[in-house]
């Protein structure tokens, strides 16, 4: 099984980076042979959507499990759509995290509130689509369009706001919120047309 561990460095002795979307490195480990490959996180500097980009990177590399400190709701939804298990609360080195996972000392992350179960289509009101809408997701669940979400007509309660991850500075948080406002305004204009 291929496991992805978020890391502050490219080795098995590097410490676990508690952030998922803005981690320094992804270390991909074969859980049986312990062979590993590291890559820098290409989305670390993204102005917004870093978690979704990170989830797409992990999915593209074929990981079955992500081990990290914490994961935001959008990344949880994207990883869930690709049936990648999410394990949080890891600490120590990458090697320590793998051992913690193998011994059952780490717990699976809860699903994002209002998110479909991994592998299940969204139902209910139009919402954050599964990459089939007018968004930029390319079909991997990163789309923020109006697609998906029109299943059996069962309303889905909106997700409650999630507090920002402590790793963001105030300036980064403001920039991310401004970007979200811009996206919402663009979607409102599309809807008016």
């Amino acid at each position: 099984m291929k496991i992805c561990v978020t890391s502050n460095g490219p080795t098995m002795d590097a410490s676990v980076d508690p952030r998922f979307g803005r981690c320094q490195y992804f270390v991909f480990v074969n859980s049986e042979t312990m062979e590993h490959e590291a890559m820098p996180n290409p989305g670390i500097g993204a102005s917004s959507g870093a978690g979704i980009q990170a989830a797409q990177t992990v999915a593209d590399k074929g990981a079955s499990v992500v081990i990290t400190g914490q994961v935001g709701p959008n990344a949880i939804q994207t990883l869930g759509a690709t049936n990648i298990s999410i394990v949080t609360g890891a600490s120590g080195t990458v090697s320590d995290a793998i051992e913690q996972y193998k011994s059952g000392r780490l717990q699976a992350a809860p699903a994002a509130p209002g998110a479909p179960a991994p592998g299940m289509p969204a139902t209910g009101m139009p919402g954050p689509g599964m990459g089939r809408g007018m968004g930029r997701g390319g079909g991997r669940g990163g789309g923020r369009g109006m697609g998906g979400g029109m299943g059996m007509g069962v309303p889905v309660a909106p997700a409650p706001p999630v507090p920002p991850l402590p790793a963001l500075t105030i300036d980064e948080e403001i920039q991310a919120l401004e970007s979200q406002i811009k996206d919402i305004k663009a979607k409102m204009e599309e809807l008016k047309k």
Side-chain angles (χ1 to χ4, degrees):
M1 168 181 10
K2 188 182 262 190
I3 299 172
C4 174
V5 182
T6 58
S7 173
N8 287 314
T11 68
M12 295 289 284
D13 294 327
S15 61
V16 171
D17 192 324
R19 305 164 297 174
F20 175 68
R22 297 193 186 278
C23 69
Q24 296 290 316
Y25 287 88
F26 296 114
V27 178
F28 297 92
V29 181
N30 179 318
S31 63
E32 294 165 16
T33 65
M34 296 304 286
E35 291 180 22
H36 65 280
E37 167 192 5
M39 71 176 285
N41 178 0
I44 192 171
S47 61
S48 67
I52 293 171
Q53 289 179 27
Q56 290 174 337
T57 299
V58 169
D60 290 345
K61 294 295 276 181
S64 301
V65 176
V66 168
I67 300 175
T68 188
Q70 54 187 336
V71 182
N74 291 337
I76 288 174
Q77 188 169 8
T78 304
L79 289 166
T82 59
N83 292 319
I84 296 174
S85 299
I86 307 161
V87 180
T88 57
S91 61
T93 66
V94 172
S95 294
D96 294 338
I98 296 292
E99 188 56 39
Q100 291 166 14
Y101 174 72
K102 285 181 168 183
S103 67
R105 291 181 288 173
L106 297 176
Q107 294 193 346
M120 298 299 290
T123 60
M125 306 300 289
M130 298 305 291
R132 298 169 55 189
M134 299 179 290
R136 319 182 282 271
R140 288 209 163 267
R144 297 182 183 169
M146 300 307 292
M150 295 306 272
M152 303 185 55
V154 178
V156 175
V162 175
L165 298 177
L168 295 179
T169 66
I170 296 293
D171 290 336
E172 290 172 331
E173 189 174 339
I174 289 170
Q175 186 178 13
L177 290 172
E178 287 174 345
S179 176
Q180 290 174 356
I181 290 169
K182 182 179 173 186
D183 289 344
I184 290 170
K185 285 181 179 178
K187 288 179 188 155
M188 287 176 59
E189 289 300 317
E190 289 176 23
L191 288 172
K192 288 179 183 177
K193 291 179 185 176

